[in-house]
Amino acid sequence: MNLAELNSGEKGVIINVKGYGSFRKRIMEMGFVKGQLVEVVKKRPFHGPAEYNVMGYHVSLRPSEAYLIDVITQEKAAEMPEQPFEGIIDKERLKISIISEGKNISVAFVGNPNCGKTSLFNFVSGAREHVGNYSGVTIEAKHNTYSYYGYNFNLVDLPGTYSLTAYTPEELYVRKHIFHNNPDIVVNVIDASNLERNLYLTSQLIDMDIKVVIALNMYDDLENSGAVLEIEKLSRLLGIPIIPTVATKGKGIPDLFSKIIDVYENRDPNVRHIHINYGKEVEQSIRIIREQIKQDKHFMVAMSPRFLAIKLLEQDSHAIRFVSKHQTSKEVLKTAYKEISRIEELLHEKGEAVITDAKYGFISGALKETLKPGKSRRWIHTNAIDKVLTHHFFGMPLFFTFMFLMFFATFQLGSYPMAWIDAGVGILNQFIKASLPQGMFNDLITDGIINGIGSVLVFLPNILILFLFISFMEDTGYMARAAFMMDKIMHKIGLHGRSFIPLIMGFGCNVPAIMATRTIRNRNDRLLTILIIPFMSCSARLPIYILFIGAFFPNNPTLVLIGMYLTGILLAVITAHFFNKTLFKSKEAPFVMELPPYRLPSTKSIVKHMWDKSAQYLQKVGGVILIAVIIIWALGYFPQNTKSSSELDSNLVKINLELNQTVDELQKNRLVIQMNEIQMEKKREQLENSYLGRIGHFIEPAIRPLGFEWRTGIALLSGIAAKEVVVSTIGVLLQSDNGKGTDDNRLVMRLREIKHDHGAAFGQPVFTPVTALAFLLFVLIYFPCIGVVSAIAKESGRWRWALFMIGYTTTAAWLVAFLVNQIGSRLF
């Protein structure tokens, strides 16, 4: 609860004061300190200033200022044990403990990409966020909690960013979080092996005048290189405490959180606010703009006036928009533009460039006094590896070789455990069917849930193998090299080099891939990438590919599987080129991307990432897929009593009586075969007349030109929930096409045997290699699951882009499948 929430006459005990340094100091000097009782004397209407009684003085605060003061009620404070106070205190002062409420500390982790920030966050909080050796892995804030020495830490892992300008979405996101959420402590995670570049972000945090603790991460790399850093001296120069850490091994973590507590409790002597000297002319401009800003208290509450003045001199678009919202904006902006012109005229340089140079000058000077450089062997190894993997001639062939190995292993190695799981599902289904009494519940469990879920579960080994390869390429740093090598090709088709990583991520899941496009600075480039990511074959489509390829292309499974992925890439290229020439004509953005040193990931991290993604697959199986399977089974099971089924039941009764009366073995066999045929006919009739059958027949005219029939249409419709449901739907639908169910026949065999049940093609196979290929291409192209549609709407900021994607992908899928079926059926 904050002070602004208290009503007139109510009292509260202060537990924390937020905001930037000088504002916090001014508020505390007025008596708003931790443990002090404050009373709301009077609140004015229309969110005007309120009058407060603190330490016997009446003080006026605006709601925006009161919002930054956390309080608890007297009643809540009275229930807590008293906290001993070391020092002099007025006996009349209210002695109320704030021991528990005052020990909740909000901590934000901020740092460059690849600095180990998320590794530190994961180690501390036990979270399982993926750590990739390339930028853009953490693309939104991750929250968790941690307890240490009686303090409760609310941790936030913010996106990796090189600075706090308004140039990229992640930079703006981090800046907004710091100003709007006012974390008590910002932990600036720094890569110890790259201090000069990492400290640029630190210099901006210094300008913000907030409480910062530096986690000097990967400190073992700095020591191994032979470098020597005087940490205590650098800490004094920056005015920020520095703690060496090795996040992957947990080294320095206790010291880091002990220091966070010291800074929070104002016990660290090194904490002081310094001003980076930007030179005589720039400092003069900062002082003039700052004085203008101080005339409006709204600016004073929101952020440090010095930081805002510096951002205005840099012509930061977000800072200009922020100032424009207030009454004094004209005067502030007029002063800022005047000073910008003065600096440019005097120094013949943009204000942003002058300030950036001054920051690096400050950083360089501080490191010259404190750092004795060494020589990192890590870059020697990295450069040697890059000579091969990013070679002008051999780089691309090697990349495609890795891709081939990934798909070969996914199909071939995965086929063995897949067969074991399939056999286990069959045995379980047979056991349950025999154990439960015959009836609707038996049918739901066996024909519905086990048959539907089992048909999807068998593909778990393939998913595990696919993510094993993707995790290894991400964690080693090879994925960033792939983007580097692909930049020229991406440029040719109108895409940005940074688009390559989201596209590759799309092979795992389209949703995080779409979210990863936030690292692309240009909005048009970002939208274009979002709209072609659905062409990347996500892991949800893999079970469908493996099922149909195993059934109809058993002689060349790896080549066909690679062909499906390459077709998706080709369609993405064609679509990107077309959209770039029509919808997204824009200026080219520069390709700037960090190529981090190669790191050999631990087996634990790879297995954890692989299992995390596979666990998401299992959660889908137990969630949306289970629900979809039950709904599809119910739609196919009801209504039960139809005219034709009643006639068939009568025939079954007659044959059963005749079977009991006859003693001739030949006649008995004939009657058993006849009974099985009637039972199969009954199931076929029941399914066709069910609600599911009616839906299928309704959409059949639209898909008949593609060579598909009504059951195929139902399977495609079910993919709206999740693409894996297509396989489970086929499993549910085809279980009734023979009398033996799933016990003695696998889904592959039933796919080959399924026949058209009406029309001109009656009795002909539904799937041939040509129609199977048309079906696979339709699944590849038509619009993805609901989760992806929602992600596109969220990331683009417009539902119209999501609807547009649904329209063009489904149209393209129909046209491609139509051409393949019509041409293929004539040629073969």
Side-chain angles (χ1 to χ4, degrees), residues 9-276:
E10 292 183 340
K11 297 179 180 179
V13 179
I14 299 170
I15 58 171
N16 191 27
V17 179
K18 298 179 178 179
Y20 68 90
S22 58
F23 167 79
R24 188 191 307 113
K25 183 180 180 182
R26 181 173 63 87
I27 289 291
M28 293 175 73
E29 285 172 350
M30 294 166 65
F32 292 90
V33 293
K34 187 185 293 187
Q36 189 60 247
L37 182 69
V38 58
E39 178 185 4
V40 184
V41 179
K42 189 188 299 180
K43 295 193 79 172
R44 301 186 186 280
F46 308 112
H47 301 287
E51 189 178 334
Y52 299 95
N53 183 356
V54 59
M55 290 188 176
Y57 292 93
H58 284 217
V59 180
S60 175
L61 293 179
R62 286 188 171 91
S64 56
E65 296 167 330
Y67 171 79
L68 297 172
I69 302 173
D70 291 333
V71 298
I72 55 173
T73 62
Q74 277 184 288
E75 293 74 21
K76 191 170 184 179
E79 295 172 2
M80 301 176 185
E82 289 194 5
Q83 183 180 16
F85 183 80
E86 297 176 2
I88 300 170
I89 187 168
D90 186 353
K91 292 182 180 180
E92 301 300 321
R93 179 178 175 182
L94 180 64
K95 294 181 180 179
I96 299 177
S97 171
I98 54 167
I99 190 167
S100 53
E101 287 291 334
K103 289 192 174 182
N104 292 325
I105 306 176
S106 60
V107 178
F109 289 87
V110 174
N112 286 192
N114 300 309
C115 68
K117 174 175 57 62
T118 300
S119 296
L120 179 59
F121 175 81
N122 286 348
F123 189 92
V124 171
S125 64
R128 300 168 71 90
E129 302 303 335
H130 176 45
V131 181
N133 193 14
Y134 60 95
S135 64
V137 175
T138 307
I139 47 182
E140 60 182 6
K142 308 293 183 183
H143 299 261
N144 221 311
T145 57
Y146 176 64
S147 296
Y148 180 75
Y149 266 86
Y151 285 82
N152 300 314
F153 298 90
N154 297 309
L155 309 177
V156 181
D157 179 24
L158 294 171
T161 177
Y162 295 106
S163 72
L164 295 174
T165 64
Y167 187 46
T168 66
E170 62 266 26
E171 289 170 352
L172 191 55
Y173 186 95
V174 172
R175 198 162 101 187
K176 283 183 175 179
H177 180 90
I178 293 173
F179 285 136
H180 294 173
N181 296 79
N182 292 293
D184 295 314
I185 305 290
V186 170
V187 173
N188 181 203
V189 185
I190 287 177
D191 180 357
S193 63
N194 202 341
L195 284 171
E196 188 167 7
R197 194 201 63 199
N198 279 245
L199 284 171
Y200 182 79
L201 177 61
T202 309
S203 70
Q204 293 182 314
L205 294 172
I206 289 171
D207 288 336
M208 294 174 80
D209 192 12
I210 56 178
K211 286 187 175 182
V212 180
V213 175
I214 290 177
L216 192 61
N217 200 29
M218 305 181 198
Y219 190 67
D220 52 343
D221 286 346
L222 185 140
E223 290 181 315
N224 293 336
S225 71
V228 178
L229 178 67
E230 296 181 55
I231 295 175
E232 193 65 28
K233 187 175 182 181
L234 181 61
S235 176
R236 289 195 301 271
L237 287 172
L238 298 176
I240 299 173
I242 302 173
I243 304 298
T245 62
V246 183
T248 54
K249 299 176 183 177
K251 292 183 179 179
I253 305 296
D255 293 337
L256 175 64
F257 277 84
S258 295
K259 185 58 65 177
I260 290 172
I261 293 169
D262 287 344
V263 174
Y264 176 74
E265 299 289 0
N266 301 308
R267 294 197 296 253
D268 190 279
N270 284 335
V271 175
R272 61 192 180 92
H273 179 54
I274 65 168
H275 283 179
I276 297 170

Side-chain angles (χ1 to χ4, degrees), residues 460-481:
L460 179 61
N462 308 97
I463 303 295
L464 283 165
I465 294 169
L466 178 70
F467 279 116
L468 173 66
F469 277 87
I470 292 176
S471 300
F472 183 78
M473 287 193 293
E474 289 178 347
D475 292 354
T476 55
Y478 182 66
M479 197 70 88
R481 268 73 183 180

Side-chain angles (χ1 to χ4, degrees), residues 480-748:
R481 268 73 183 180
F484 166 73
M485 290 187 294
M486 291 295 293
D487 178 58
K488 190 172 182 179
I489 297 174
M490 304 294 277
H491 174 74
K492 292 287 186 186
I493 63 174
L495 283 171
H496 195 275
R498 278 180 174 266
S499 300
F500 183 71
I501 285 180
L503 291 174
I504 288 292
M505 289 176 68
F507 289 140
C509 179
N510 287 173
V511 173
I514 288 166
M515 294 170 70
T517 59
R518 295 178 190 175
T519 60
I520 303 171
R521 292 179 171 91
N522 184 279
R523 175 171 168 78
N524 282 354
D525 289 336
R526 191 160 64 250
L527 276 174
L528 180 56
T529 307
I530 285 172
L531 292 177
I532 64 171
I533 282 174
F535 289 119
M536 300 297 105
S537 296
C538 64
S539 59
R541 294 182 176 102
L542 187 60
I544 309 170
Y545 295 165
I546 292 174
L547 173 64
F548 277 80
I549 290 171
F552 300 102
F553 307 99
N555 296 327
N556 301 291
T558 303
L559 290 177
V560 177
L561 184 61
I562 291 174
M564 292 305 302
Y565 280 81
L566 290 178
T567 302
I569 294 169
L570 178 62
L571 288 168
V573 168
I574 294 170
T575 306
H577 189 72
F578 175 73
F579 284 171
N580 194 55
K581 297 293 183 183
T582 54
L583 296 177
F584 301 111
K585 293 181 180 179
S586 63
K587 293 180 180 179
E588 181 183 354
F591 177 64
V592 180
M593 184 174 185
E594 180 185 3
L595 295 178
Y598 287 103
R599 297 193 183 102
L600 187 63
S602 65
T603 305
K604 180 182 176 182
S605 68
I606 290 180
V607 170
K608 186 176 78 170
H609 181 217
M610 178 182 70
W611 176 247
D612 284 348
K613 294 298 181 184
S614 302
Q616 291 175 15
Y617 181 78
L618 290 175
Q619 287 170 2
K620 253 192 200 177
V621 170
V624 65
I625 294 175
L626 176 61
I627 295 168
V629 161
I630 293 173
I631 292 171
I632 291 163
W633 174 86
L635 290 172
Y637 194 80
F638 298 104
Q640 280 283 301
N641 298 318
T642 62
K643 185 177 179 181
S644 58
S645 65
S646 299
E647 293 175 359
L648 292 170
D649 283 338
S650 300
N651 292 336
L652 280 174
V653 171
K654 291 176 183 178
I655 293 171
N656 197 40
L657 287 172
E658 191 176 346
L659 184 65
N660 292 331
Q661 292 172 359
T662 186
V663 292
D664 185 3
E665 289 297 323
L666 188 64
Q667 178 68 7
K668 276 187 175 182
N669 289 336
R670 186 182 64 80
L671 290 170
V672 168
I673 292 171
Q674 191 177 352
M675 182 179 291
N676 286 338
E677 288 176 350
I678 292 174
Q679 286 175 337
M680 288 175 63
E681 177 65 17
K682 180 184 174 184
K683 287 185 176 182
R684 189 192 68 78
E685 288 281 346
Q686 191 275 325
L687 180 60
E688 188 168 359
N689 292 313
S690 68
Y691 299 122
L692 198 62
R694 295 171 194 176
I695 295 170
H697 284 297
F698 177 75
I699 65 171
E700 189 177 26
I703 59 175
R704 194 181 296 126
L706 314 181
F708 306 159
E709 47 90 72
W710 61 278
R711 283 164 291 196
T712 314
I714 293 169
L716 291 171
L717 273 180
S718 67
I720 295 172
K723 286 295 173 284
E724 301 97 332
V725 180
V726 172
V727 175
S728 58
T729 302
I730 291 172
V732 172
L733 290 173
L734 300 195
Q735 56 84 24
S736 61
D737 269 58
N738 57 65
K740 298 180 182 180
T742 59
D743 301 338
D744 303 318
N745 297 278
R746 297 290 173 257
L747 198 52
V748 165

